[in-house]
Amino acid sequence: MYQLLSGLSIIEVSSFVASPTAGLYCAQMGAEVIRVDHKAGGLDYNRYMLTSEGRSLSWENLNRAKKSVALDLQSGEGRELLVELAAKTGQCITNLPKKSFMSHAALAARRQDMVSVRIMGWHDGRQAMDFTVNAASGYPLMCGPEEWDPATAPPVNQVLPAWDFITGAYSAFALLAALRHRDASGEGSEVRVPLGDVAIGTMANSGSLAEMLYRGSDRPRLGNAIWGAFGRDFRSRDGQRFMVAALTPKQWSGLVAAFDVADEIAELEAELGVRFADGDTPRFVHRKRLFDLFQAASERHDYADLAARLAGQGCTFERYRTMHEAANDPVLVADNPLFGPSPANPSGFGYPATRSFAHMPEKQVGDPRPAPYLGQHSEEVLAERLGLSSGEIGRLIDAGTVALSDRN
């Protein structure tokens, strides 16, 4: 919770993951982010899983540090209020359709220098979500055991909605870039960020698109091995599974020393006529022989011993944990300055909450702030942003156009 964006206000009209993430990252850097939902809650308001009080933990965490306004967005008056709020504020993030009542044209008609960031499915207007664009990208058909028959093997979906989170982060960046442009030129901008383009573009940026076209075929499945380098999961004598990776000469020499396999490596190099210290290529090409060698060495040690050896050599490694184990690991959470004390969450459930991912050693970081109750800030925002009197707001509340906090 740094205040680098203090003074910047953003209207957010969104649901699910990508769009709320963009607003969350801005809020964690000090922006006033005002999320506006339909008075009954957005499409993600009751997203699984719910606490016994009926509060969504997903919604609670994606909307930390924001303000909440609840309007009847099925009514003309409610929509008019939202458009006016966005125009008065000057910048908004949304994933509503481009031809909705929140179109950029409708906003720019009220304010010429309006900046809107719109998260879409595909660039041509088709709907999409993380797991469908991931299916199109090819990644699920790269995952799975190496021995699976390519002709019959099923896809393996990743559990993390990575494209949603990457899209949210990119959208926050795009918003700030558009605002910087407006500061310099006075011009507003309409910015569209299709989820599908983020996925396919990331595939291209990683070199994978060029690789597929160059090789003229797909990559084979590699199980848990790292493509193009040395790395895989191993199992210690006491049954602990851990991941190691060696992409640099120092990481490789550290692994060889930590596993105490210098003699075996020398013998294998002599047999194959290669030097594994020469780079990724010989280590990747002969990975199966190396994996067998390192697994045999792993089985001579308990994990605690191996971890001490690996850490002493500056290796890159980590033990596999369940997510429940990770949530209870003091190194990852309780003793990690990323996390602050639990704020007064709407769910009533207390747990560590994240600060900004970016750490600035010379600046004081504040504690995490809670998510709002739906409609908690309706009166405040309408009065401050639109200048509505208490009487006018009271009329809107009586008419059902504006809803107040759902705390009770």
Side-chain angles (χ1 to χ4, degrees):
M1 301 305 183
Y2 296 108
Q3 296 303 309
L4 275 67
L5 296 180
S6 178
L8 172 64
S9 295
I10 302 164
I11 299 297
E12 180 197 307
V13 188
S14 61
S15 58
F16 295 114
V17 179
S19 190
T21 296
L24 172 66
Y25 291 161
C26 292
Q28 288 180 327
M29 282 295 184
E32 178 192 47
V33 178
I34 302 167
R35 173 161 170 162
V36 184
D37 285 294
H38 181 59
K39 62 182 182 179
L43 296 174
D44 57 345
Y45 191 58
N46 294 311
R47 194 170 191 206
Y48 195 79
M49 79 175 281
L50 303 179
T51 66
S52 58
E53 293 81 7
R55 300 286 179 178
S56 166
L57 293 173
S58 171
W59 194 94
E60 184 169 275
N61 281 277
L62 284 170
N63 292 288
R64 284 196 184 287
K66 300 177 186 178
K67 294 181 177 180
S68 172
V69 172
L71 303 174
D72 181 0
L73 296 182
Q74 295 177 0
S75 72
E77 190 170 28
R79 292 181 174 188
E80 175 69 16
L81 284 171
L82 175 50
V83 171
E84 188 65 16
L85 266 176
K88 288 275 188 177
T89 303
Q91 42 277 334
C92 74
I93 300 168
T94 185
N95 63 345
L96 290 181
K98 61 184 179 182
K99 293 183 179 180
S100 70
F101 70 95
M102 282 287 288
S103 69
H104 182 77
L107 301 175
R110 306 288 185 94
R111 179 167 181 157
Q112 189 175 8
D113 66 347
M114 184 72 199
V115 171
S116 68
V117 174
R118 189 175 311 276
I119 296 172
M120 303 169 59
W122 291 99
H123 64 88
D124 57 7
R126 288 179 294 136
Q127 291 193 0
M129 62 178 296
D130 184 281
F131 295 101
T132 61
V133 300
N134 195 47
S137 73
Y139 284 104
L141 291 171
M142 288 183 181
C143 297
E146 189 172 1
E147 61 269 19
W148 280 1
D149 181 354
T152 60
V156 178
N157 287 336
Q158 61 192 26
V159 177
L160 174 71
W163 304 124
D164 278 335
F165 286 110
I166 296 171
T167 298
Y170 194 90
S171 296
F173 155 73
L175 171 66
L176 296 181
L179 293 178
R180 185 177 187 278
H181 174 71
R182 185 174 69 187
D183 289 343
S185 68
E187 297 177 351
S189 298
E190 177 184 15
V191 182
R192 298 176 181 176
V193 186
L195 183 70
D197 282 358
V198 171
I200 301 304
T202 300
M203 182 185 77
N205 289 343
S206 72
S208 296
L209 188 150
E211 178 195 326
M212 297 306 115
L213 296 176
Y214 180 80
R215 67 161 56 236
S217 63
D218 288 307
R219 286 183 190 172
R221 281 182 163 91
L222 293 180
N224 287 334
I226 297 175
W227 175 258
F230 180 81
R232 203 196 70 174
D233 62 307
F234 295 99
R235 187 180 61 257
S236 62
R237 181 170 59 191
D238 54 347
Q240 292 289 332
R241 289 190 176 273
F242 58 100
M243 181 74 189
V244 300
L247 279 68
T248 68
K250 184 177 184 298
Q251 290 171 345
W252 172 251
S253 62
L255 277 183
V256 172
F259 280 83
D260 193 20
V261 291
D263 291 342
E264 291 97 322
I265 291 293
E267 290 178 11
L268 186 58
E269 288 177 329
E271 176 190 339
L272 300 175
V274 299
R275 264 178 39 92
F276 294 123
D278 286 345
D280 287 333
T281 298
R283 297 194 289 263
F284 181 67
V285 169
H286 300 288
R287 63 188 179 279
K288 292 184 179 180
R289 296 291 299 275
L290 288 172
F291 290 160
D292 289 343
L293 190 156
F294 276 91
Q295 180 54 53
S298 296
E299 293 171 358
R300 295 195 290 267
H301 302 276
D302 288 342
Y303 178 73
D305 177 36
L306 270 174
R309 289 167 170 264
L310 290 163
Q313 294 292 333
C315 298
T316 304
F317 72 101
E318 195 55 73
R319 177 176 64 86
Y320 283 90
R321 299 165 176 81
T322 67
M323 194 172 285
H324 185 263
E325 288 176 326
N328 288 279
D329 190 313
V331 174
L332 297 180
V333 180
D335 299 336
N336 187 344
L338 168 66
F339 291 91
S342 179
N345 297 314
S347 66
F349 176 52
Y351 51 90
T354 61
R355 299 182 170 102
S356 166
F357 297 161
H359 178 58
M360 308 181 75
E362 296 181 359
K363 293 188 179 295
Q364 182 66 36
V365 60
D367 287 336
R369 303 207 307 271
Y373 291 94
L374 180 67
Q376 179 179 340
H377 304 93
S378 295
E379 289 182 280
E380 170 193 328
V381 169
L382 292 175
E384 292 182 356
R385 293 269 146 197
L386 299 185
L388 299 185
S389 68
S390 58
E392 290 172 311
I393 295 173
R395 179 191 68 79
L396 291 167
I397 294 170
D398 291 341
T401 306
V402 173
L404 303 182
S405 172
D406 73 343
R407 180 170 187 169
N408 300 315

